[in-house]
Amino acid sequence: MAATPASDSTALDADPAFALHRGGKIEIRSTVRVRDADDLSLAYTPGVARVCSGIADDPALAADYTWVSRVVAVISDGTAVLGLGDIGPSAAMPVMEGKALLFKEFANVDAVPLCLDCTDVDALVETVTRLAPSFGGINLEDISAPRCFEVEQRLRDALDIPVFHDDQHGTAIVVLAALKNAARLTGRTLGDLRAVVAGAGASGVAVTRILLEAGIGDIAVSDSKGLIYDGRDGLNPVKQALARDTNKAGRTGSTEEALAGADVFVGLSGSTVSEEAVASMAPGSIVFALSNPTPEVHPDVAARHATVVATGRSDFPNQINNVLAFPGVFRGALDVRAGSITENMKVAAADALAGVVGDDLSATYVIPSPFDERVAPAVIAAVAAQARADGVARL
């Protein structure tokens, strides 16, 4: 889109998306009233000085006497925004505002969008580490792979608050929940399934890792050069680790070749998969074509051959939407002041999501709607309980 001079920007408001975003989508509101001098003296000086002194003597008091323990920073460098790619921090801000909006709307979590004008891993880690004392959790967003893996791990190591890269783990939680229900619908367990994951970026790696953690029978991952296998040349460290832990049969070749006889396809690559490849899958197959806005295979085409089909789109059944996970995960972690988000907490969130479907399970309902009011409470309770069980809760 050609640049529009600021003086003419009102012309863009003919587009309802621009009109909705005018002035931003979030704001900060006060939680106390300042009606007179007495209120002012308590909310600010001199009363605030007593609270500051108390926190200086006992830093743990900040969790009770500031907003820190209940607010999340939504942080991006703008290098992998939606399907738009590296568009920079300013252009990423509407997405980060939207993320903060979803935190508030779906789990009553306050969140602050922060788009950083740096892409170097060291600079990102240092910047977020310096910002961390103002927040109870860090939600990383739209940071390109493979840098995102190192950024998250280093921040997890450095900080004693939850650090969660939603592109990885939010997607993984929802995929696991939907796949558990799809397996149940077809009379199988995860251990019975052979899966193929197309895409070895942030979401593809995280989905693979959580499925391994949950006991998937067999799983192979492909990138733009084909299947990842032990001994393949040119693998970065993340893909080398995948090669060691997946594809036990040592399959080589393309994604479509690997789909022959497979039970599950998870598409997170932006590539395409032919109808013939879907037709070659095992009976009772499960297809999660999750690239947006264009799935790897059209859901109507996949449904000719697969028992369960899911996409990332809202206009087809079984939408794999991260908003089912991240608001409740953070709220559950914040409620117990967890120091981190463990793998068990992610699996517990997936189990809770799957459980919301219950006896209403069908081929077009393996995952609940984001607007199902049971979702957030179920995820919050499961994550909080698991945090206590894992010993990372402070409350």
Side-chain angles (χ1 to χ4, degrees):
M1 178 181 295
T4 300
S7 59
D8 297 332
S9 66
T10 53
L12 295 173
D13 288 350
D15 181 332
F18 276 92
L20 182 143
H21 284 75
R22 176 171 286 279
K25 302 187 291 294
I26 59 174
E27 64 181 3
I28 293 177
R29 293 178 179 268
S30 58
T31 60
V32 299
R33 299 291 302 277
V34 181
R35 296 159 295 192
D36 52 35
D38 288 341
D39 288 347
L40 182 59
S41 71
L42 289 173
Y44 202 56
T45 185
V48 73
R50 298 200 298 274
V51 181
C52 293
S53 296
I55 294 172
D57 292 337
D58 181 3
L61 293 178
D64 291 315
Y65 294 102
T66 73
W67 78 338
V68 165
S69 65
R70 57 182 176 83
V71 66
V72 172
V74 179
I75 293 177
S76 179
D77 65 357
T79 54
V81 181
L82 300 177
L84 304 174
D86 185 355
I87 60 175
S90 294
M93 182 56 85
V95 178
M96 302 313 121
E97 281 187 1
K99 206 76 173 189
L101 173 69
L102 298 179
F103 267 114
K104 190 66 174 178
E105 290 290 320
F106 286 97
N108 196 28
V109 172
D110 291 308
V112 177
L114 298 172
C115 292
L116 305 182
D117 190 14
C118 59
T119 58
D120 176 73
V121 169
D122 290 339
L124 283 170
V125 171
E126 180 183 6
T127 302
V128 177
T129 300
R130 292 181 183 277
L131 289 167
S134 296
F135 299 98
I138 303 294
N139 183 88
L140 301 173
E141 192 78 20
D142 293 351
I143 299 172
S144 63
R147 298 158 50 255
C148 60
F149 303 114
E150 183 180 355
V151 170
E152 184 194 35
Q153 187 57 56
R154 286 175 58 180
L155 288 172
R156 285 172 59 91
D157 292 342
L159 303 177
D160 62 351
I161 58 175
V163 177
F164 186 86
H165 185 203
D166 185 53
D167 300 326
Q168 294 183 58
H169 309 301
T171 303
I173 288 167
V174 183
V175 167
L176 175 58
L179 187 56
K180 283 192 169 189
N181 276 338
R184 178 162 68 95
L185 180 71
T186 58
R188 294 171 290 182
T189 67
L190 289 181
D192 298 324
L193 303 178
R194 178 168 77 84
V196 178
V197 176
S203 54
V205 171
V207 164
T208 301
R209 289 295 176 192
I210 204 170
L211 293 181
L212 286 169
E213 181 76 18
I216 193 80
D218 186 23
I219 190 166
V221 185
S222 64
D223 61 10
S224 60
K225 298 179 180 179
L227 289 178
I228 293 171
Y229 57 88
D230 199 14
R232 201 186 91 177
D233 292 337
L235 298 177
N236 64 36
V238 173
K239 293 180 182 180
Q240 286 176 348
L242 280 180
R244 289 193 300 269
D245 298 336
T246 64
N247 194 4
K248 297 304 182 184
R251 292 181 174 84
T252 61
S254 69
T255 304
E256 293 192 340
E257 289 170 334
L259 284 178
D263 302 292
V264 179
F265 170 67
V266 181
L268 294 158
S269 64
S271 60
T272 59
V273 170
S274 69
E275 181 174 358
E276 291 74 20
V278 175
S280 75
M281 295 176 68
S285 62
I286 299 163
V287 172
F288 289 2
L290 304 183
S291 290
N292 260 326
T294 305
E296 286 80 1
V297 57
H298 193 282
D300 290 341
V301 173
R304 296 172 190 161
H305 310 283
T307 299
V308 178
V309 178
T311 72
R313 292 173 48 153
S314 60
D315 53 346
F316 289 96
N318 298 325
Q319 184 190 20
I320 305 298
N321 191 328
N322 288 14
V323 78
L324 287 162
F326 70 82
V329 168
F330 267 100
R331 175 64 185 275
L334 293 175
D335 281 355
V336 297
R337 295 185 191 163
S340 63
I341 295 172
T342 67
E343 292 303 312
N344 288 338
M345 290 161 70
K346 298 170 196 172
V347 173
D351 288 342
L353 266 180
V356 170
V357 170
D359 294 336
D360 295 324
L361 179 66
S362 71
T364 56
Y365 184 55
V366 297
I367 196 73
S369 162
F371 300 101
D372 188 324
E373 294 182 354
R374 299 171 295 170
V375 166
V379 173
I380 291 166
V383 168
Q386 191 61 55
R388 291 190 176 103
D390 286 351
V392 297
R394 298 184 179 96
L395 290 179

